[in-house]
Amino acid sequence: MSTPSDARAAPAAAPARRLHRSTLLFEALRIGRAFVVPALLAALGAADDGPGRTTAVGLGVLAVPALLAAIAKYLGLRYRLTTEELVIDSGVLSRRHRVIPLRRIQNIDVRQSWLQRLASVAELRIETAGGERTEAVLSTLAWTDAEALRAELLGRRAALGHAGMEIREAAPPAETLARLSPADLALAGATANEAGLAAAGLLGLLQLVEDLPVQVPLPGVDPSALIPSPPAVGIAIVVAALLALSLLAGWLLSIIGAVIGYHGFTLERAGDELRKRYGLLGRREGSMPIRRVQTIRVEESLLRRPFGLAALKIETAGAGPGQRPRAGAEAFLPLARRRDVPRLAGAVFNDLDYATLRFHPVHPRARRRRFLRYSAPLILIAGVTALATRPAALLLLLLVPLLFLIAHKQYRHMGYALAPGYAATRAGFFNRITWIIPDRKIQTLHIHETPFQRRHGLATVIIDTAGGGRSIASIPDLPREEARLLLDRLTTRATRTAASSPIPT
């Protein structure tokens, strides 16, 4: 049996390791992309003694110290793994000594770009509990070394457990939760929301129309002026064709991106961890302790709902590897059948009975509030447009019934549910999102009332977890008394679970 003194003696005996030699190659490529390539382009396009030539020389000179710094970084970095810690020493002139306790490690990701895959090397990223950024990046390692180090870190962290004592002898068997085929990924890409891409394409087409030599006449008061002239008809056909091609191209790019980016997607559960691996050109493998999961988000877009499809995301405490802190949800499963959601949610939260979720509606005034919110700007724009052309203003006002239908659909998809140990909220029409929040993960609860809500006796209940940021779920437009009762009930449940849990979650 080892003693504390023996454990503390381990770091001195642990052998130090170095990064792979190809680190210098990838650093040289990075420096070339940042300095050398711009310098060459500036030199080719510059006059003999012009400012472009000066810029080229300056960039070329800056590349030299950058390359020397990369060599020094490679030569000065060493890492070693002890029984309880990962120790990283770096720097030449200014030395840095980092000690990362294995108990505090949360995420361990192995990533490969397509160039790294060709060279059979990888990058290992480590995130710790409560860290605001990636704690350590070992780039680059041989692929086999990165995989071995990741497995070793996971094994030793599991052996330590929460109390610092050995709790298992072998790694638990992995259970495959989902595996997506190329057809599944193509379907995920085909049904993804590409509103941003479509909007960008539309703006580009509008800019193209502005640059055309032939202008489209605006309709006047005379109904005969509403009939476009032949040149305008031709322009309209061209614009419509370009818009259709732009949307088709965006749709195809979405499919191709999903198939390549998530190629071979496999989701597993091994003991108390979730593990993912995917990617065709660039490869990514990662693991995450289930205790770190704060909420689950079930996203059902308007395109996916008719096919019974959804995407699952998880909100976690802190930040994911390579992500900014509090950045939002991480992809749990890019595509799932709705019938599989209870099983997948239960794989994360073992005591969740998804089938018991019964959603209560919010107050009917929520429908009117959303209709006013959507229609007021449109009516204002129509009023301004009427000063120039009344027919165009009338066409805008014809959209008002459509906005009422959207507001009604929004209202129908809003609600909340309570199950033993869990609360759930749901909202959204174009992209319906269902939040599943364990009572034990609730950090704060409060009620928010806008001036318009106070006028109608409504309130919003806000549920916050340790994920922060977008992981704040809300239940808007509840009757004020119902909101207060719900707040008291959730507070009692969260306090009870916090008191019965000896380990922070």
Side-chain angles (χ1 to χ4, degrees), residues 155-167:
R156 295 195 183 189
R157 186 190 65 182
L160 289 172
H162 294 293
M165 60 176 56
E166 188 168 330
I167 57 175

Side-chain angles (χ1 to χ4, degrees), residues 56-138:
V57 173
L59 290 173
V61 171
L62 289 176
V64 176
L67 183 59
L68 293 177
I71 296 174
K73 176 184 176 182
Y74 166 74
L75 295 176
L77 194 144
R78 298 288 189 278
Y79 68 94
R80 62 180 185 270
L81 183 61
T82 71
T83 305
E84 298 183 359
E85 300 164 339
L86 174 65
V87 181
I88 301 177
D89 295 307
S90 59
V92 177
L93 300 178
S94 178
R95 296 291 293 172
R96 184 182 182 188
H97 180 76
R98 280 178 291 172
V99 179
I100 305 175
L102 300 185
R103 292 191 193 90
R104 295 190 59 81
I105 292 178
Q106 295 281 14
N107 281 14
I108 306 173
D109 269 17
V110 177
R111 297 185 179 184
Q112 281 183 308
S113 66
W114 65 275
L115 281 176
Q116 289 174 329
R117 293 198 73 177
L118 291 177
S120 297
V121 295
E123 179 179 283
L124 189 135
R125 293 171 173 253
I126 300 171
E127 181 201 356
T128 58
E132 294 187 351
R133 56 184 176 85
T134 302
E135 183 64 32
V137 178
L138 297 178

Side-chain angles (χ1 to χ4, degrees), residues 178-348:
R179 183 177 287 114
L180 299 182
S181 66
D184 293 330
L185 296 175
L187 182 59
T191 56
N193 287 330
E194 298 296 331
L197 184 59
L202 181 58
L203 290 176
L205 289 175
L206 292 177
Q207 183 64 39
L208 177 63
V209 171
E210 287 184 3
D211 296 335
L212 290 176
V214 180
Q215 299 296 323
V216 181
L218 291 174
V221 180
D222 187 0
S224 62
L226 296 176
I227 303 176
S229 61
V233 172
I235 294 175
I237 293 175
V238 172
V239 170
L242 291 176
L243 178 59
L245 289 175
S246 177
L247 294 177
L248 177 61
W251 184 62
L252 292 177
L253 287 175
S254 175
I255 296 175
I256 295 172
V259 172
I260 294 177
Y262 287 105
H263 175 77
F265 185 95
T266 302
L267 176 67
E268 298 175 338
R269 172 169 177 163
D272 295 330
E273 287 187 339
L274 296 173
R275 298 179 182 177
K276 297 183 298 183
R277 58 178 180 271
Y278 56 88
L280 179 61
L281 300 179
R283 189 71 175 167
R284 178 174 175 178
E285 296 188 11
S287 61
M288 177 185 301
I290 290 179
R291 67 177 181 275
R292 187 172 179 263
V293 178
Q294 302 296 306
T295 63
I296 295 179
R297 285 173 52 180
V298 182
E299 299 187 356
E300 301 169 88
S301 67
L302 188 61
L303 292 176
R304 289 177 175 174
R305 286 203 297 272
F307 301 99
L309 302 174
L312 272 70
K313 295 183 179 181
I314 52 178
E315 296 279 352
T316 58
Q323 298 177 343
R324 298 183 65 181
R326 309 289 190 248
E330 301 177 25
F332 176 45
L333 189 59
L335 187 74
R337 268 63 183 178
R338 188 182 297 140
R339 63 176 180 272
D340 293 332
V341 171
R343 175 182 62 84
L344 294 168
V348 181

Side-chain angles (χ1 to χ4, degrees), residues 141-190:
L141 302 173
W143 170 256
T144 53
D145 292 342
E147 282 287 283
L149 179 58
R150 176 174 172 269
E152 197 172 2
L153 287 170
L154 291 173
R156 295 195 183 189
R157 186 190 65 182
L160 289 172
H162 294 293
M165 60 176 56
E166 188 168 330
I167 57 175
R168 57 171 65 93
E169 297 295 334
E175 173 193 0
T176 300
L177 300 179
R179 183 177 287 114
L180 299 182
S181 66
D184 293 330
L185 296 175
L187 182 59

